Amino acid sequence: MTYEEFADARLGALLRYAVMLTGDPHQAQDLVQDTMVRVQLHWRRVARSDAPERYVRRMLTNQFVDWRRGSWVRRVFLRGEPDDSVPAPADHVQSAVDRDQVWSWLSRLPRRQRAALVLRYYEDLPDAEIAEVLGCAVGTVRSSISRALATLRAEHVEVC
């Protein structure tokens, strides 16, 4: 498989994964672009791996986790409280609100915990593959997910 074939086949999936990590389509595009430049530079090594997509997903995840060390600026989304007097016009609006709420909750988590949750519940990966993508032990994955869920539960109780 060539780099171009890989990019054509997997770019959309990598972008969707990056959107779930960042919560922002523009940041996701930047993240995927930076990662794919690195992938192209190291394509021989990527292509020789047992699972090139998993290798690239790990590169993308590492790039995301390392953002805070670089020149990336952390974005904070400010949203007002919803007005209960205004009825919701349609279901697609509610789904957008729900999606924004999930991104808001995820954005409060440390990047590794956020990545672990996205890999588990969005990408539907087992613990062993998550551990491989994050470069850690399976037990660390489980504790990261447990801590992230505990944080989200505690914040949900505070919000409600």
Side-chain angles (χ1 to χ4, degrees):
M1 174 184 295
T2 66
Y3 169 80
E4 290 79 14
E5 292 169 339
F6 176 83
D8 285 343
R10 302 309 307 155
L11 196 59
L14 291 170
L15 185 57
R16 285 188 299 275
Y17 172 58
V19 168
M20 291 305 297
L21 286 177
T22 63
D24 180 315
H26 301 290
Q27 279 187 340
Q29 289 173 350
D30 291 344
L31 177 62
V32 170
Q33 181 178 357
D34 289 349
T35 302
M36 291 306 287
V37 166
R38 291 178 53 224
V39 168
Q40 186 176 27
L41 292 173
H42 302 287
W43 180 246
R44 287 185 184 160
R45 186 178 336 152
V46 172
R48 281 190 308 245
S49 71
D50 293 336
E53 182 177 359
R54 193 178 314 147
Y55 192 99
V56 172
R57 190 182 295 142
R58 182 174 183 178
M59 290 175 72
L60 190 143
T61 303
N62 288 340
Q63 183 82 7
F64 169 73
V65 170
D66 289 342
W67 268 5
R68 69 179 175 274
R69 296 182 192 136
S71 62
W72 292 95
V73 177
R74 184 178 176 144
R75 293 185 180 195
V76 178
F77 298 118
L78 301 175
R79 293 183 179 88
E81 292 298 316
D83 186 358
D84 293 334
S85 66
V86 178
D91 287 341
H92 70 278
V93 171
Q94 185 58 46
S95 68
V97 169
D98 292 344
R99 185 180 59 244
D100 286 349
Q101 183 62 58
V102 168
W103 281 341
S104 175
W105 288 334
L106 287 174
S107 71
R108 296 179 189 142
L109 295 173
R111 291 180 186 268
R112 278 195 168 275
Q113 288 180 10
R114 185 184 331 171
L117 283 182
V118 170
L119 288 166
R120 163 69 64 76
Y121 296 107
Y122 184 74
E123 294 289 321
D124 199 27
L125 294 181
D127 292 342
E129 285 188 41
I130 296 170
E132 188 174 325
V133 169
L134 295 178
C136 63
V138 172
T140 304
V141 168
R142 291 180 183 145
S143 68
S144 293
I145 290 171
S146 177
R147 286 184 181 132
L149 292 174
T151 299
L152 292 176
R153 281 186 207 107
E155 287 187 11
H156 181 67
V157 169
E158 291 174 12
V159 171
C160 293

